[in-house]
Amino acid sequence: MKTIILSTCVLLSCTSAFAQTGLFDPSIEHNPKDGIIKIYGAGGPHTALRKVADVWEKQGGTKVELIAGPESKWSASAQADADALWGTSEQSMTAFLETYETFDHDKVEPIYIRPAIIAVQKGNPKNIRSFDDLLAKGIKIVVTEGKGTYNTSGTGVWEDVAGRKGSLDDVARFRNNIVAYSLGSGASFKAFKEQKADAWITWPNWPIHNSEDMDMVYIDKDRIIWRDLNIVISPKADSQTQDFLNFLLTRKAQKIMKTEGWQR
């Protein structure tokens, strides 16, 4: 019996390790120098980053390509030609760098931060004004979760918000109202619409870009949770990649990023 238990534990350990590094392809050579700044990351920040990149390019900067979406769709390309990666939280960047071994953990730079918010149906029919309103019976909530297999900035955010005051009852009541644990923000948005959920714990860019479907309610200051946007540059990157990162931190860029909830 002991042997069986040990074998099972070893198998589970191996499975977990593979889940974290299964996108890594050792046959791919990392060679990003092609005269284009290619930056990869999860969807969300790319809309604000694109606005900044457009200004950068108009000023004569090197062309910037932003490749966004679920990691599985761009992983192989990023391993081959990413000049930089962005993470939508610290935990997501840490997970990325298990796969993209050319990049250095010590070179990751947090550049912006934004608050979690409550997205509600257009017109806010349930009159949700604060987090406490989400604890009422019958409220339908969508949350974004990685479920142990998906790298997303939303993982654990709902628990952080619900447990912020140290109340187990708040966590339990909130959990009872969750109708969907969705893999990534895109799937969460789909569930929010299809299930006609009353609320979705997410980030400001979603209601900003989907104002025809939802409104935004800010989370109370004593509960608010922040997660950052971070970036890491490849040691083999095109030479102007660092210049673009420097531009991302200028006052002009900060004003653009602020339009989608990002701040420094």
Side-chain angles (χ1 to χ4, degrees), residues 117-166:
I117 56 89
I118 305 167
V120 297
Q121 294 291 337
K122 188 67 180 177
N124 195 5
K126 291 295 179 71
N127 195 31
I128 293 168
R129 300 299 176 190
S130 70
F131 174 84
D132 286 348
D133 292 330
L134 303 183
L135 303 181
K137 288 184 178 181
I139 296 294
K140 297 163 59 178
I141 306 169
V142 170
V143 298
T144 304
E145 272 291 349
K147 300 183 182 180
T149 62
Y150 194 94
N151 184 12
T152 173
S153 61
T155 296
V157 170
W158 74 267
E159 180 183 6
D160 290 344
V161 175
R164 193 79 168 88
K165 293 185 176 182

Side-chain angles (χ1 to χ4, degrees), residues 32-177:
K33 287 189 177 180
D34 56 6
I36 300 173
I37 300 172
K38 295 179 180 178
I39 312 178
Y40 293 77
H46 68 290
T47 52
L49 291 173
R50 183 68 260 165
K51 293 176 184 177
V52 176
D54 287 345
V55 174
W56 157 266
E57 290 178 3
K58 287 179 181 178
Q59 295 180 177
T62 303
K63 181 180 178 181
V64 176
E65 288 187 6
L66 299 169
I67 301 91
E71 183 185 3
S72 59
K73 293 186 177 181
W74 50 255
S75 181
S77 296
Q79 290 174 63
D81 63 13
D83 292 287
L85 305 171
W86 77 75
T88 49
S89 65
E90 287 297 322
Q91 58 89 16
S92 62
M93 176 59 81
T94 299
F96 279 161
L97 296 190
E98 289 296 303
T99 297
Y100 311 97
E101 297 181 343
T102 304
F103 296 82
D104 186 349
H105 283 274
D106 292 336
K107 301 297 183 182
V108 176
E109 183 176 351
I111 58 173
Y112 284 93
I113 197 165
R114 86 306 204 184
I117 56 89
I118 305 167
V120 297
Q121 294 291 337
K122 188 67 180 177
N124 195 5
K126 291 295 179 71
N127 195 31
I128 293 168
R129 300 299 176 190
S130 70
F131 174 84
D132 286 348
D133 292 330
L134 303 183
L135 303 181
K137 288 184 178 181
I139 296 294
K140 297 163 59 178
I141 306 169
V142 170
V143 298
T144 304
E145 272 291 349
K147 300 183 182 180
T149 62
Y150 194 94
N151 184 12
T152 173
S153 61
T155 296
V157 170
W158 74 267
E159 180 183 6
D160 290 344
V161 175
R164 193 79 168 88
K165 293 185 176 182
S167 170
L168 185 61
D169 185 59
D170 285 353
V171 176
R173 290 168 66 192
F174 186 96
R175 196 180 200 287
N176 285 339
N177 286 341

Side-chain angles (χ1 to χ4, degrees), residues 201-248:
I201 300 295
T202 186
W203 309 110
N205 58 283
W206 281 94
I208 287 172
H209 279 276
N210 298 279
S211 58
E212 70 281 3
D213 293 308
M214 59 178 68
D215 291 329
M216 178 164 52
V217 175
Y218 288 99
I219 294 172
D220 323 54
K221 288 184 177 180
D222 57 353
R223 284 192 184 272
I224 197 167
I225 294 296
W226 300 75
R227 288 193 173 173
D228 74 350
L229 170 64
N230 46 69
I231 197 163
V232 62
I233 295 175
S234 167
K236 299 180 179 181
D238 279 284
S239 59
Q240 277 206 315
T241 306
Q242 182 62 54
D243 294 333
F244 178 63
L245 174 56
N246 294 341
F247 182 72
L248 271 171

